[in-house]
Every structure is written in C-alpha cells, then in structure tokens.
Amino acid sequence: MQSLFKNALCCILLCHTSLALADGITLGAQGEANFTPYRQYKTQYSGIPYIGYDNSHVYIDGTEVGAYFINNDTDQLKARWWYLDNEFDPGKSSDSALRQLRSRHSTMMGGLSYQKITPVGAFRAEFSADTLDNSRGLLGTVAWLGQVSLTQVDIYPQAGVDWLNKQQASYYYGVTERESVRSGLPGWAHQGVTPWLAVAFDWHPVKPLHIYLQPKLTFLTGALRDSPMTDQNYYWVLSSGVTWTF
C-alpha cells in the first residue's frame, strides 16, 4: 500500500547503488501506480519532481535525507529520515463499511540502515520509527539486491521482508473498537510481516540519463491477510521515472 512515487528511487538507483547521485546534482521526475489491497479502493496515481545530491557524507534523495557513518565499497551505515507515503482515504473506497473508518496519513520515518555488498549481491537491514506520531509505529526491513549489467541496461532483482509492529500495522490495516461499532467491521489490531519481490530496470542510453521502471509485488501474510480492510493477499506497485545528473 505504499505510494512509491514519492520514494521510488530509494530501492532502485540511488540508495542501493549510488549510480546517479555520485559527484553531481540529479534532477528528474518520478511516478507510480499503486494497486492497493484495500477493499473496493481506487488505484492511486501520483508523480513528483526529483532532486538528489550525495557528497559521500550527507545526501538528499528526493523525499529522503541522511548522513553516513560508514560509506565505502563494501559497507554502508547511515542515519536516514524518509517520507513514508502510506495512506488510506475512506472516500476512495466504494465499500460502505470502509467509508466509516478514519483516514490514515503519511508520515516521516527516521532510523538506521546498514548495507553489505558481497559477490552475490547487496544485503540490507533497516529499522525506522514514526517521527510524527501518526502511527507511533516501528518498521523493519531485511532485503537482498542483485545486479545484472547489459550494454545500456542494468537489471536489479530484489527480495525482502518488512516487519510492522502492532502500532504500525494497526494504523494502516486495523479497525478500532469505536470504528467497529460504527462500521460493523470486526476489530483488528496485530503486528504483521509483508514479504516482497521487485525487479528494477535502469536504462541509461547516455551516461547522465537514467530511465527506470520497477514493478513490486508485496504479499500480505498471517494476520495482515485477515484484516477487515483488505480483500486480497497481495498488491502491486509500479514505479517509473527519469533522472539526469549534472
């Protein structure tokens, strides 16, 4: 249910591979189609400009900023603050019960990220907390990223698992007692795990130009699959964009 237009480059070109941000300012645009798992919910579309900069000590990556503690060819440890564009607008659902629920808003997450680059790919672990107290939740991620390089195209297969603590999962998927009385939906408050698969395509016909496309498939498991707000076991996000480094 993430709206990755505003955070799309984080898992493709910039955060994992630092291709576009090195030694320059990167400008561009990014967009997304988010096929959410909410019941009878409209597909969300969005797009924003992109600005990036990285001097190996601090960086700006669109809606993410951070500072490196370690940054070399094999290891990267950084503090990061990033915009989590998760949201639920009851007015976008045609389900009468979901229209009785409260809105769920995006937030700013802050935490640490560590990445280890090995001959078989990059391994990443992240832990973040909601800094605006919208969800008051915690989010953890472990992931792997590979790379296949062709003449003008790099392909990045990815796999990972996100863990949402009870506050985080309940904010975006839960139903409170008051909402249950109002909507008729059963109450729901649990933690959750969402495995995901993605593949990013980075086409660079000339060195400063990058055109990318990334489909991402996220699976709802366990209690998340049984949330009364959802009606499917998975959802898709399709991200795309274009950047130019000066």
Side-chain angles (χ1 to χ4, degrees):
M1 48 190 232
Q2 246 178 337
S3 188
L4 294 178
F5 274 165
K6 299 183 180 178
N7 203 24
L9 293 182
C10 291
C11 58
I12 304 177
L13 302 178
L14 305 176
C15 286
H16 294 325
T17 63
S18 299
L19 289 176
L21 286 180
D23 301 324
I25 295 176
T26 300
L27 301 177
Q30 56 196 61
E32 153 189 297
N34 183 6
F35 305 91
T36 73
Y38 293 130
R39 289 164 45 186
Q40 300 180 35
Y41 201 79
K42 296 179 181 178
T43 301
Q44 297 178 331
Y45 300 94
S46 59
I48 62 168
Y50 176 84
I51 300 175
Y53 173 74
D54 192 324
N55 66 6
S56 298
H57 301 288
V58 297
Y59 69 90
I60 302 170
D61 180 12
T63 55
E64 177 178 337
V65 298
Y68 298 104
F69 300 113
I70 302 172
N71 188 18
N72 56 46
D73 292 341
T74 59
D75 296 273
Q76 185 185 83
L77 175 64
K78 62 185 180 182
R80 60 191 291 256
W81 293 265
W82 53 284
Y83 183 64
L84 177 64
D85 192 17
N86 281 11
E87 61 183 16
F88 169 76
D89 180 354
K92 293 183 179 180
S93 175
S94 58
D95 184 279
S96 59
L98 261 61
R99 293 177 70 89
Q100 304 303 313
L101 303 184
R102 73 193 190 283
S103 297
R104 321 295 166 89
H105 301 291
S106 303
T107 192
M108 288 295 299
M109 305 293 288
L112 295 175
S113 173
Y114 174 70
Q115 178 174 269
K116 178 72 173 181
I117 299 175
T118 75
V120 295
F123 296 87
R124 177 171 54 96
E126 295 180 343
F127 187 79
S128 299
D130 175 19
T131 63
L132 299 182
D133 285 337
N134 287 337
S135 68
R136 300 181 180 180
L138 303 174
L139 178 63
T141 299
V142 292
W144 168 84
L145 171 73
Q147 179 175 351
V148 178
S149 296
L150 305 177
T151 303
Q152 293 184 330
V153 178
D154 292 313
I155 302 172
Y156 300 96
Q158 303 163 60
V161 177
D162 294 336
W163 168 77
L164 297 74
N165 77 337
K166 185 175 180 179
Q167 289 86 347
Q168 185 79 359
S170 298
Y171 183 73
Y172 291 109
Y173 293 94
V175 177
T176 66
E177 292 184 6
R178 181 177 297 180
E179 288 176 318
S180 178
V181 172
R182 186 169 63 244
S183 67
L185 295 171
W188 190 97
H190 299 276
Q191 65 178 339
V193 174
T194 57
W196 52 267
L197 298 171
V199 57
F201 301 91
D202 171 26
W203 179 41
H204 38 90
V206 294
K207 186 176 181 179
L209 175 65
H210 288 265
I211 300 171
Y212 70 88
L213 178 71
Q214 176 184 268
K216 180 179 180 182
L217 176 63
T218 299
F219 300 92
L220 301 182
T221 63
L224 286 178
R225 185 175 52 215
D226 299 327
S227 165
M229 294 182 65
T230 66
D231 62 357
Q232 57 191 51
N233 299 333
Y234 62 89
Y235 63 93
W236 286 92
V237 175
L238 181 64
S239 304
S240 61
V242 57
T243 64
W244 187 280
T245 300
F246 296 89

